[in-house]
Amino acid sequence: MKNILHPPDDIRCMKTLNKDKIKTTVQVHCLSINEKKLQGIVPLLKNYLMKIEKFKPIQHIADNKVEIYLSPELIKNWSGLPNDIQSALEKNSVTENDLKIKNVELTYENFSAEDLLRAILPADKEGLSSFTKIGHIVHVNLREHLLPFKSIIGDILFDKVQGCKSVVNKVNMIDNTYRNFHMELLKGENNMITAVKENNCTFKFDFSKVYWNSRLCTEHERIIKKLNQQDVLFDVFAGVGPFSIPAAKKRCIVYANDLNPESYKWLEYNAKANKISNEYFQSFNKDGADFIKTMIKKHLPINLENENNIFITMNLPALAVNFLANFEGLFNPDELPNITKTPLIFLYCFVKGENYTELAKELILENFNCNVSDIIDIFRVRTVSSLKEMMRVTIRLTREILTTENLRKRKFEDHEDNNTKRSKDGKEQEESR
């Protein structure tokens, strides 16, 4: 169905916001009725009202009259109303004679940010597919062809996104060491210290110096729901605490680590701000490998002896897989008690390709000395871009891995055999053509 309630066509490729030019007139069918009939009429028409920003579909006018504006996309004449609605209106003494056509002027104020940007940005190229709100900050990632429009994009988002005080554009790739990126202020205050609420916790941080992705809120919640009181969480790349703080608030025993000094500062701040007891929370400012080799090595045996459920989150998708090898041979056999409850790793990674589940499995097996059977779940968290997926791989951390002496011995012969068979079958098929 064509959208009639859209901005004017002549604003395409506007680079400087001119609100006066964003005006259009549409013809709308309007029922004019006595105000006394309103209570019986509105429930009949609630699905057919004209719905657009800052426009009242029910307007009181003089002489106890009310005008009810109907959606021009749905109602083009009296017969456009379903027969049962027509009959119900007529029982209330409202007939086709009460339906009038009125010209309604729509302005900049009536259109959403999405409507305006869709009308303004080039039609033959990919538009601004999404933006993210982090507290008072609206964050965009503009592709090169949208940079000439960055000023008007900033103006529109600043105006239209509720609570927005700053609009920023990412200007380079995320720094792999500290997971932050340089930003360009498009509109508003140059204040990057913000706060967000997630999973019954408040997180404050400097968005220009730490990593935060609001699109991972649901994933954070999924993991927190897997944890119970007195479970143990080792958070290797904790950031400002989206896994660690809610887990500790749930009275899990949490060891949270991040290499970035700014992330570590806000991690500690957020623990105090959310009234997390030191009984349940310890924080560290170490490299991930160092944290595994020292703090996990120190605290894992104790918690295994206590038969606690143990979870390890590794949320550094671009690099986390490279840290898995630090678990191999972490202990001498006599340093580790017999395992009755196997620790689980939630490893996050990026893969590119259509068969993302197999690609994630192959990535783990190429970088970690585990069996195929140790990979117990592969879950697609979100689509990052075309054919690029963020995955969560759940790995069973067995005693064999933790005490192995053959650090780089591969244990996925069945996996290799399947790949060899597929390759052989494909070659035979090619030769038969």
Side-chain angles (χ1 to χ4, degrees):
M1 181 182 297
K2 183 180 179 182
N3 180 14
I4 298 171
L5 304 176
H6 61 76
D9 295 332
D10 60 1
I11 65 171
R12 180 71 66 192
C13 292
M14 177 188 283
K15 291 187 174 67
T16 302
L17 183 60
N18 185 340
K19 297 180 182 180
D20 292 335
K21 284 190 175 183
I22 304 177
K23 293 180 181 179
T24 189
T25 300
V26 295
Q27 288 190 333
V28 180
H29 281 81
C30 173
L31 277 173
S32 181
I33 65 171
N34 189 288
E35 188 175 17
K36 293 179 180 179
K37 299 178 183 178
L38 189 61
Q39 188 173 358
I41 298 301
V42 171
L44 298 173
L45 297 174
K46 64 180 181 179
N47 294 328
Y48 304 96
L49 299 177
M50 177 173 165
K51 297 175 183 177
I52 193 166
E53 288 192 7
K54 297 189 177 179
F55 180 84
K56 294 180 179 180
I58 301 172
Q59 300 183 14
H60 292 261
I61 55 177
D63 303 324
N64 296 320
K65 287 283 187 178
V66 176
E67 291 180 336
I68 303 176
Y69 290 81
L70 304 178
S71 168
E73 297 168 323
L74 300 175
I75 306 302
K76 297 181 171 48
N77 48 47
W78 179 260
S79 61
L81 289 166
N83 291 334
D84 60 332
I85 300 296
Q86 292 181 41
S87 299
L89 289 172
E90 289 168 354
K91 286 180 180 178
N92 284 273
S93 301
V94 177
T95 69
E96 185 173 1
N97 293 330
D98 297 308
L99 189 65
K100 312 296 182 184
I101 295 178
K102 300 201 73 171
N103 289 328
V104 176
E105 184 181 67
L106 302 178
T107 68
Y108 173 82
E109 299 302 325
N110 298 121
F111 300 111
S112 67
E114 291 83 355
D115 289 335
L116 291 165
L117 294 173
R118 194 180 300 116
I120 290 170
L121 299 178
D124 59 340
K125 295 182 179 179
E126 184 180 356
L128 181 64
S129 58
S130 64
F131 57 85
T132 305
K133 188 169 183 287
I134 308 98
H136 70 272
I137 301 168
V138 170
H139 165 230
V140 296
N141 183 9
L142 299 183
R143 299 197 174 189
E144 188 173 354
H145 68 273
L146 294 180
L147 292 178
F149 301 93
K150 65 184 181 181
S151 175
I152 194 168
I153 290 171
D155 287 339
I156 289 172
L157 293 177
F158 185 82
D159 278 351
K160 295 289 183 176
V161 179
Q162 187 175 6
C164 174
K165 295 182 180 179
S166 308
V167 182
V168 298
N169 175 41
K170 183 174 76 171
V171 295
N172 67 353
M173 298 300 290
I174 290 176
D175 180 284
N176 281 331
T177 303
Y178 290 157
R179 295 198 296 171
N180 54 16
F181 47 79
H182 297 291
M183 292 181 296
E184 175 186 17
L185 182 69
L186 301 184
K187 180 77 174 183
E189 302 174 2
N190 189 16
N191 174 19
M192 297 299 107
I193 296 179
T194 190
V196 297
K197 290 185 177 181
E198 182 180 289
N199 291 319
N200 298 316
C201 296
T202 300
F203 299 92
K204 190 174 182 180
F205 48 87
D206 186 335
F207 185 57
S208 67
K209 295 180 180 178
V210 307
Y211 177 82
W212 180 272
N213 189 336
S214 295
R215 293 190 181 97
L216 295 179
C217 173
T218 303
E219 175 61 13
H220 298 150
E221 184 178 9
R222 290 189 195 107
I223 297 302
I224 298 306
K225 284 182 176 179
K226 294 177 184 289
L227 307 179
N228 296 308
Q229 185 174 340
Q230 293 301 315
D231 286 352
V232 177
L233 175 66
F234 293 98
D235 197 355
V236 183
F237 311 108
V240 300
F243 287 125
S244 295
I245 303 299
K249 192 169 186 177
K250 205 172 180 178
R251 296 189 175 182
C252 296
I253 301 165
V254 176
Y255 304 91
N257 173 72
D258 203 276
L259 175 63
N260 183 352
E262 277 289 320
S263 295
Y264 174 70
K265 179 181 80 174
W266 291 109
L267 176 65
E268 290 202 309
Y269 175 92
N270 290 326
K272 292 176 182 176
N274 287 280
K275 299 180 180 179
I276 303 300
S277 168
N278 290 337
E279 179 184 356
Y280 301 106
F281 182 84
Q282 294 184 50
S283 56
F284 306 90
N285 180 207
K286 296 175 176 287
D287 172 75
D290 188 23
F291 177 71
I292 293 169
K293 292 177 180 178
T294 57
M295 305 320 299
I296 292 184
K297 183 172 184 178
K298 176 181 178 181
H299 295 285
L300 187 64
I302 299 170
N303 286 289
L304 286 172
E305 285 181 358
N306 292 336
E307 297 189 350
N308 294 321
N309 294 317
I310 299 173
F311 302 90
I312 302 167
T313 47
M314 301 181 70
N315 184 21
L316 184 64
L319 292 175
V321 70
N322 299 329
F323 289 79
L324 284 172
N326 292 288
F327 289 105
E328 298 175 7
L330 185 61
F331 300 93
N332 292 323
D334 58 354
E335 293 178 319
L336 197 67
N338 289 324
I339 295 177
T340 56
K341 291 187 176 181
T342 308
L344 294 181
I345 299 176
F346 298 127
L347 185 285
Y348 293 87
C349 61
F350 294 132
V351 295
K352 291 184 178 181
E354 293 182 357
N355 195 358
Y356 43 79
T357 299
E358 279 301 313
L359 289 170
K361 183 188 294 184
E362 289 174 5
L363 182 65
I364 300 303
L365 294 171
E366 287 168 2
N367 287 274
F368 194 36
N369 186 24
C370 68
N371 293 310
V372 175
S373 59
D374 295 328
I375 299 175
I376 61 175
D377 184 53
I378 300 177
F379 177 79
R380 180 167 64 90
V381 177
R382 72 183 188 96
T383 299
V384 179
S385 59
S386 179
L387 295 181
K388 182 178 181 181
E389 306 289 339
M390 180 179 177
M391 310 294 293
R392 184 217 314 142
V393 184
T394 304
I395 307 167
R396 186 183 291 109
L397 193 57
T398 63
R399 180 182 178 85
E400 184 179 17
I401 293 169
L402 290 168
T403 62
T404 183
E405 296 179 357
N406 302 312
L407 294 183
R408 300 314 318 158
K409 180 182 177 182
R410 298 302 180 205
K411 297 182 179 180
F412 53 101
E413 289 83 358
D414 56 334
H415 177 75
E416 286 187 324
D417 288 345
N418 288 334
N419 282 342
T420 302
K421 185 178 185 301
R422 285 197 296 268
S423 176
K424 182 179 179 181
D425 289 346
K427 184 176 180 181
E428 289 173 351
Q429 290 175 15
E430 186 67 30
E431 290 174 349
S432 68
R433 288 179 182 175

